[in-house]
Amino acid sequence: MAKPRKPKPEDPKPAHSGAVVRHQKLCLSIDTNLRRIYGYTELEIEVPDIGIVGLHAENLGIESVLVDGEPTDFEYYPRNQSSDIEKRWASAVSSPSSAADVAAAAYVTALETELIPNLLINCFNKMQIEQINTEPNGVQSSAEVKQNVKSVRVNYWVEKMETGIHFEDNVVHTDNQIRRARCWFPCIDDNNQRCCFDLEFTVAHNLVAVSNGSLLYQVLSKYEPPCKTYVYRLDVPVTAQWISLAVGPFEILPDQHNGLISHMCLPPNLPKLRHTVEFFHNAFSEYEQYLDAKFPFGSYNQVFLSPEMAISSSTVGASLCILTSQVLFDEKVIDQTIDTCIKLAFALSRQWFGVYITPEAPNDEWLLDGLAGFLTDLFIKKFLGNNEARYRRYKANCAVCKADDSGATALSSSFACKDLYGTHSIGLLGKIRSWKSVAILQMLEKQMGPDFFKKILQAIICRAQSTTCPVRSLSTKEFRHFANKIGNLERPFLKEFFPRWVGLYGCPVLRMGFSYNKRKNIIELAVLRECTATIDSSVSVLNANPDSENRDGDIGWPGVMTVRVYELDGMSDHPDLPMAGDAWQLLEIACHSKLAARRYQKPKKGSKPDGSDDNGDLPTVDMRSSVDSPLLWIRADPEMEYLAEIHFNQPVQMWINQLEKDEDVVAQAQAITALESLPELSFSVLKALNNFLTDSKAFWRVRIEAALALASTSSEETDMAGLQHLVKFYKSRRFDTDIGLPKPNDFSDFPEYFVLEAIPHAVATIRAADRKSPREAVEFILQLLKYNDNNENPYSDVFWLAALVQSVGELEFGQQSIYFLSSLLKRIDRLLQFDRLMPSYNGILTISCIRTLAQIALKLSGFIHLDHVFELIKPFRDSKTIWQVRIEASRALLDLEHHCNGINAALLLFIKYIEEEPSLRGKVGCACYAVMSDTRWICL
């Protein structure tokens, strides 16, 4: 077992007030008509010696405060920072460059101000307190402890809702943004304050109030109009940020397989909800089985709200998750299935790691985020397949290696976790940190073995569920002890592992090449070590520049990488490549195969040096890269034991061997990337890519990569062979050979559906010598749009059509293909009109049409009037349209405005759209696009 730590109080006293909340009760009446909340909260607080308790309360109307039932003095300091910010802007902003500095300073000041309690309560009795007895050893007596525990009741109301809680028609819901709990009930909004909660919510009799913990009972009042009170109890101590509430006319769908689970949504979405959550009990059971523990809370509720109402796609609370209904899908929708399953599984994993088990300090947040992602990967592997899990992990690791180049991606650093004030966990940077956290934990699992890693997680949960002294926080240091004791990893390895991977940033970059020594029958492997980030040499990491002066110093990461060699006589692993050492290293790897004449079949007459003949007959029996080598192909780190960027050089035939013979999806993806990047393409390369694309047994995601590789390699030099292969493959699957036209849609084979859906996109990216789309490519896409028939298909074709429409936007029209444009635009207009009458799933078809129209307009701005396109798209900004369509229209119009009138006009239009946008999520979506586009506009 891990080294036990000294028992610590579950709720340590925070430095800013000294008060400790033992229990909190929240009783609220919610009036959706008047958009008003009123009621009280009652806190059982251990009062500090000073007698003053500080609570956080933002935009609340404090009516009265009572201590032990008696009125008491209090001071409330409402924060109105907008006027201060306006004064600072007026005095400090003198140029666009200074505006960013002032905005950042104002933001940081607002965050720091929020840390200070603004509701100060005097907990002294008016009568003089009797002298408190103390034990001889200085420890407080029970009388003193009892004297210091006060019942503080705050009667208040909430009328002006800005953040934290939101009203939309007859729906009310909260969000869990940083320090937003204080916006709807007084509390000590601090990560170090955890307590149990009693929750009572009174709403209209036709509404449902969903909150945290177990629903004890409901009470229907006899008054007019009738009201209903929902009473919940949360017996697991949590911080205030995990208290959530959703009120609305929800339809309740109890899970058919597990009585602890309930799913809720607004009435129109009930059929979709029923279909979407069929799988969910599998994830719930899988987590309980893996962790060898029951779900930590008495129940688990999922509430799905309309996207316009939600602040984010998911809001996690204790035993409750509020999501948007845009992730729901019916039996006709194919494309949304995988993403929704993973999203719901991750939200559930956060209940275990993040809500139930919390980080001990901000620097430990990465660990809980990584453990939640690790659990989600287990679900993906078991229920979506090992290929899906490995492919997603490989792509995530590639993204991390590209982006892990600054202090913001150091997982356990004061800069990333404190100085960024929580923003490190949102946006693209948050995704990178999340993926990196999971990769690091998976590295540890590879080092110690899956069984040992599972025991560590089980020990953490068991410790938290202890009835004597539960510990529900986790630190990086403690996890390191677990890895040493339970995981059986050596202390020297861990001493290097955690500081290097968790405390610093940057990933190893390994550049490898080899030669085969026939006389010694060995492989001579040359390795150059680099790093994705330039870090000071004092931390023993190589400067990213291979020609730098310190490149020969001792650099690297703990551990040894495996090199897997595939030979004629089989495969063998060689764990011979240390991750630390000199920048340059030469390794010798022994081969097991012996060259023999019988293994080599003489090539046929007229064959090419690469092993293929002019007629495209079957390849020769010998799969070797050359006659003088027994090697088929070589892989570094085949099991992804390290988060590393690997550049491996081997002959073309060995890459082809790897693509055709290695059954690992990661090996196949790596081979496709290598073949695609070749400066010169041979017939054998194109044939290998095409054979893989047409292989129905191969994993569909990698087949899509093969299609994109064929498109990128299609050029005049290869006689447009890639285009021919793609069109021929599509027609062999979806065209009627007798009439030469597309067959009616049949999407029953899901993997084949995804591959074929990607073909138009791949075709649209092909360019001829004049950098325009070949006539055949434009005509092919038009043909697919013109003859699409979904009448007898049980599945929806909106994603299929959306992919076709988006491929039109990727075309480049030249003299030979411009006359197809009018026919394509007519098809797009027809789809727009049809989608307006019968809206598609989440408006996906209208969104793709708007995006494509804007792309075509910008490309052909010299030949068409952009004002016409502007007027065509503008009506889709109407508030009655769904928010996704509205935001896409706003984005397109901003791009058109910038193209016509410049960046200043585009920014003014952006401000206008932000003011007019009715939904907060829509404002965020529009703002994010403007921020990302700002740099692009300047470059243009």
Side-chain angles (χ1 to χ4, degrees):
M1 290 294 291
K3 182 179 179 181
R5 62 177 180 178
K6 296 180 180 179
K8 63 180 182 180
E10 183 64 25
D11 303 304
K13 294 184 180 182
H16 64 269
S17 70
V20 175
V21 181
R22 291 187 169 185
H23 184 274
Q24 185 162 1
K25 183 178 182 179
L26 187 60
C27 298
L28 297 178
S29 293
I30 301 169
D31 191 330
T32 56
N33 294 324
L34 297 177
R35 300 168 67 90
R36 190 171 186 265
I37 297 174
Y38 53 93
Y40 70 90
T41 184
E42 193 169 279
L43 303 92
E44 185 179 323
I45 301 181
E46 185 178 328
V47 180
D49 295 338
I50 194 175
I52 304 296
V53 170
L55 301 181
H56 297 99
E58 297 287 347
N59 299 319
L60 305 181
I62 308 299
E63 180 179 314
S64 61
V65 179
L66 294 85
V67 175
D68 290 339
E70 297 292 332
T72 188
D73 297 330
F74 68 92
E75 295 182 9
Y76 180 50
Y77 303 93
R79 296 193 179 105
N80 187 9
Q81 298 171 345
S82 58
S83 59
D84 296 336
I85 294 176
E86 289 177 2
K87 292 178 181 178
R88 181 177 299 182
W89 272 91
S91 60
V93 177
S94 57
S95 64
S97 59
S98 63
D101 296 333
V102 174
Y107 177 64
V108 171
T109 300
L111 292 175
E112 292 176 344
T113 303
E114 282 185 351
L115 300 176
I116 304 172
N118 59 333
L119 175 57
L120 303 181
I121 302 171
N122 182 9
C123 292
F124 276 127
N125 293 331
K126 294 183 179 179
M127 298 178 61
Q128 186 176 2
I129 300 175
E130 297 181 358
Q131 184 69 27
I132 299 173
N133 296 325
T134 332
E135 297 294 337
N137 59 3
V139 178
Q140 285 184 328
S141 66
S142 60
E144 181 184 359
V145 173
K146 187 175 181 181
Q147 178 71 39
N148 285 344
V149 176
K150 302 289 185 180
S151 176
V152 177
R153 171 168 171 158
V154 181
N155 298 310
Y156 73 100
W157 72 90
V158 188
E159 197 164 25
K160 184 182 178 183
M161 281 69 64
E162 295 181 352
T163 57
I165 189 164
H166 311 274
F167 283 74
E168 183 74 27
D169 297 329
N170 57 351
V171 175
V172 183
H173 67 96
T174 62
D175 69 77
N176 286 76
Q177 296 183 64
I178 302 172
R179 296 185 290 278
R180 295 303 94 187
R182 66 188 70 183
C183 294
W184 66 286
F185 67 96
C187 58
I188 298 183
D189 199 359
D190 190 287
N191 289 334
N192 291 323
Q193 288 281 356
R194 292 187 295 273
C195 69
C196 300
F197 283 82
D198 285 329
L199 307 164
E200 296 181 13
F201 302 102
T202 301
V203 298
H205 72 284
N206 61 330
L207 302 180
V208 177
V210 191
S211 192
N212 313 97
S214 302
L215 177 63
L216 300 182
Y217 53 86
Q218 308 171 35
V219 179
L220 182 63
S221 72
K222 299 179 180 179
Y223 304 105
E224 288 295 334
C227 296
K228 186 180 288 187
T229 300
Y230 292 82
V231 181
Y232 291 87
R233 174 173 294 168
L234 182 61
D235 292 327
V236 178
V238 298
T239 60
Q241 80 171 103
W242 301 123
I243 300 302
S244 304
L245 172 66
V247 177
F250 300 128
E251 293 284 349
I252 303 175
L253 178 66
D255 196 276
Q256 297 180 356
H257 304 273
N258 194 316
L260 297 180
I261 308 173
S262 295
H263 316 281
M264 307 177 198
C265 68
L266 297 174
N269 293 317
L270 184 59
K272 291 182 181 180
L273 175 66
R274 199 182 305 277
H275 180 77
T276 301
V277 298
E278 285 180 348
F279 82 98
F280 189 74
H281 69 281
N282 292 322
F284 198 91
S285 301
E286 173 66 15
Y287 293 167
E288 286 189 329
Q289 181 180 353
Y290 182 83
L291 298 173
D292 193 25
K294 293 295 183 182
F295 187 67
F297 302 104
S299 63
Y300 184 65
N301 298 316
Q302 293 185 122
V303 181
F304 296 87
L305 304 177
S306 298
E308 293 89 343
M309 301 178 182
I311 303 304
S312 60
S313 58
S314 65
T315 297
V316 177
S319 77
L320 173 64
C321 186
I322 302 174
L323 305 106
T324 65
S325 58
Q326 73 185 73
V327 303
L328 299 176
F329 57 91
D330 56 29
E331 64 278 0
K332 294 183 177 182
V333 174
I334 301 173
D335 297 66
Q336 187 65 42
T337 306
I338 294 176
D339 290 343
T340 294
C341 289
I342 294 174
K343 193 177 194 67
L344 299 187
F346 178 74
L348 178 61
S349 67
R350 289 291 292 173
Q351 295 291 322
W352 292 94
F353 298 106
V355 181
Y356 184 61
I357 306 293
T358 60
E360 187 171 296
N363 282 8
D364 304 314
E365 290 178 3
W366 76 271
L367 179 56
L368 280 304
D369 191 29
L371 289 173
F374 182 87
L375 271 189
T376 307
D377 273 14
L378 291 177
F379 164 79
I380 296 173
K381 183 177 181 179
K382 184 165 185 178
F383 295 101
L384 299 179
N386 187 54
N387 284 343
E388 179 74 18
R390 280 186 62 81
Y391 184 86
R392 295 177 76 92
R393 179 49 42 202
Y394 167 67
K395 288 299 181 181
N397 287 359
C398 291
V400 172
C401 289
K402 289 183 179 180
D404 190 14
D405 57 0
S406 69
T409 50
L411 299 179
S412 184
S413 70
S414 59
F415 170 73
C417 302
K418 180 182 177 182
D419 296 346
L420 293 179
Y421 292 93
T423 58
H424 62 281
S425 61
I426 61 176
L428 179 59
L429 182 61
K431 285 184 178 293
I432 295 297
R433 290 174 57 87
S434 225
W435 292 335
K436 183 179 179 180
S437 301
V438 178
I440 288 173
L441 293 176
Q442 289 183 335
M443 280 192 281
L444 282 174
E445 186 205 28
K446 295 287 186 182
Q447 293 294 323
M448 67 180 67
D451 292 336
F452 286 111
F453 195 84
K454 181 195 296 187
K455 289 179 181 178
I456 290 178
L457 269 59
Q458 291 175 351
I460 293 171
I461 298 297
C462 181
R463 186 181 68 167
Q465 295 183 341
S466 171
T467 56
T468 56
C469 184
V471 179
R472 297 193 179 97
S473 62
L474 182 65
S475 69
T476 306
K477 183 178 180 180
E478 288 172 330
F479 194 81
R480 177 173 164 178
H481 285 306
F482 277 116
N484 178 238
K485 298 298 182 180
I486 300 179
N488 200 28
L489 289 181
E490 297 179 356
R491 190 176 298 275
F493 172 82
L494 294 173
K495 188 177 180 180
E496 295 182 37
F497 184 91
F498 279 92
R500 182 61 197 86
W501 284 108
V502 180
L504 298 176
Y505 60 94
C507 297
V509 179
L510 301 178
R511 304 185 186 276
M512 304 183 190
F514 77 95
S515 64
Y516 173 68
N517 190 318
K518 182 178 179 181
R519 184 175 61 84
K520 296 182 179 179
N521 197 29
I522 62 172
I523 299 170
E524 296 174 335
L525 182 68
V527 181
L528 170 62
R529 294 185 182 86
E530 298 176 351
C531 179
T532 59
T534 303
I535 308 178
D536 190 81
S537 59
S538 61
V539 294
S540 298
V541 178
L542 179 67
N543 189 288
N545 180 9
D547 297 324
S548 60
E549 295 179 358
N550 64 339
R551 69 182 184 185
D552 293 325
D554 183 43
I555 54 118
W557 290 256
V560 178
M561 180 177 287
T562 297
V563 177
R564 180 171 293 175
V565 180
Y566 292 83
E567 307 176 43
L568 290 173
D569 287 344
M571 178 268 290
S572 59
D573 284 341
H574 304 270
D576 299 332
L577 177 57
M579 296 294 291
D582 294 336
W584 298 90
Q585 188 168 357
L586 184 65
L587 299 177
E588 293 185 352
I589 299 175
C591 292
H592 301 288
S593 301
K594 300 290 185 180
L595 288 175
R598 60 182 175 83
R599 295 188 183 277
Y600 174 67
Q601 177 179 327
K602 186 177 180 180
K604 297 178 181 180
K605 184 177 180 180
S607 63
K608 297 180 179 180
D610 59 14
S612 62
D613 56 38
D614 294 323
N615 298 321
D617 295 334
L618 293 175
T620 58
V621 176
D622 199 315
M623 296 290 294
R624 290 172 287 171
S625 58
S626 70
V627 179
D628 297 328
S629 171
L631 304 176
L632 300 180
W633 70 94
I634 301 175
R635 292 185 61 195
D637 194 24
E639 300 300 327
M640 290 192 295
E641 295 179 315
Y642 294 97
L643 179 59
E645 182 179 320
I646 300 174
H647 301 272
F648 197 89
N649 293 315
Q650 61 182 351
V652 174
Q653 185 58 47
M654 295 182 71
W655 285 120
I656 294 176
N657 296 346
Q658 180 171 318
L659 177 62
E660 294 178 341
K661 298 299 180 181
D662 202 317
E663 297 180 355
D664 180 21
V665 295
V666 175
Q668 295 164 355
Q670 290 171 340
I672 290 173
T673 301
L675 293 174
E676 182 183 3
S677 61
L678 292 173
E680 295 182 4
L681 297 171
S682 63
F683 172 82
S684 59
V685 171
L686 296 174
K687 183 178 181 181
L689 291 173
N690 183 57
N691 288 342
F692 190 87
L693 170 63
T694 58
D695 184 3
S696 59
K697 295 181 181 179
F699 184 49
W700 62 272
R701 290 193 186 274
V702 189
R703 291 174 68 192
I704 291 176
E705 289 205 17
L708 297 175
L710 280 171
S712 68
T713 58
S714 185
S715 62
E716 299 288 351
E717 289 76 11
T718 60
D719 297 327
M720 291 294 172
L723 174 60
Q724 296 172 18
H725 285 313
L726 290 171
V727 173
K728 182 180 179 181
F729 165 70
Y730 189 98
K731 289 185 175 181
S732 69
R733 300 297 201 274
R734 283 286 182 265
F735 270 57
D736 189 319
T737 56
D738 295 332
I739 61 176
L741 294 177
K743 299 177 184 177
N745 293 337
D746 179 9
F747 299 158
S748 55
D749 187 342
F750 291 170
E752 199 74 10
Y753 161 80
F754 286 122
V755 175
L756 291 172
E757 186 183 53
I759 297 300
H761 163 66
V763 169
T765 62
I766 296 175
R767 300 289 181 264
D770 59 355
R771 308 310 302 161
K772 303 297 182 181
S773 298
R775 180 180 182 276
E776 296 82 357
V778 180
E779 191 174 9
F780 172 71
I781 293 175
L782 174 60
Q783 197 174 28
L784 298 185
L785 269 176
K786 184 176 181 180
Y787 294 102
N788 181 71
D789 181 3
N790 206 57
N791 291 326
E792 299 180 4
N793 187 27
Y795 299 102
S796 171
D797 67 341
V798 293
F799 282 92
W800 181 271
L801 284 171
L804 284 175
V805 172
Q806 289 179 27
S807 66
V808 174
E810 294 164 344
L811 294 171
E812 290 286 350
F813 294 93
Q815 292 182 354
Q816 295 183 347
S817 58
I818 191 65
Y819 60 89
F820 289 118
L821 179 59
S822 60
S823 298
L824 289 169
L825 291 177
K826 287 179 181 179
R827 296 292 163 185
I828 293 175
D829 181 66
R830 184 175 299 178
L831 291 174
L832 268 176
Q833 301 304 325
F834 179 80
D835 207 37
R836 182 172 288 181
L837 296 174
M838 299 181 63
S840 59
Y841 176 81
N842 289 337
I844 184 68
L845 192 51
T846 297
I847 290 172
S848 63
C849 289
I850 293 174
R851 187 175 301 159
T852 295
L853 287 174
Q855 288 175 322
I856 294 175
L858 292 173
K859 290 177 182 178
L860 303 176
S861 59
F863 304 96
I864 60 177
H865 295 290
L866 295 185
D867 292 342
H868 298 329
V869 182
F870 200 94
E871 294 301 321
L872 177 64
I873 297 176
K874 190 175 181 180
F876 292 99
R877 289 200 64 257
D878 188 275
S879 59
K880 295 181 181 179
T881 59
I882 62 176
W883 79 276
Q884 295 101 318
V885 172
R886 199 163 58 242
I887 297 310
E888 187 61 40
S890 298
R891 293 171 173 175
L893 294 175
L894 287 173
D895 283 338
L896 292 172
E897 182 70 15
H898 168 259
H899 183 85
C900 294
N901 302 314
I903 187 171
N904 290 335
L907 292 176
L908 289 174
L909 186 63
F910 158 70
I911 294 173
K912 177 177 180 290
Y913 287 169
I914 286 291
E915 294 174 347
E916 295 176 350
E917 173 58 39
S919 69
L920 180 58
R921 196 166 183 212
K923 293 178 186 290
V924 172
C926 193
C928 289
Y929 183 77
V931 170
M932 291 186 296
S933 300
D934 191 30
T935 303
R936 180 169 57 87
W937 287 341
I938 293 174
C939 294
L940 292 175

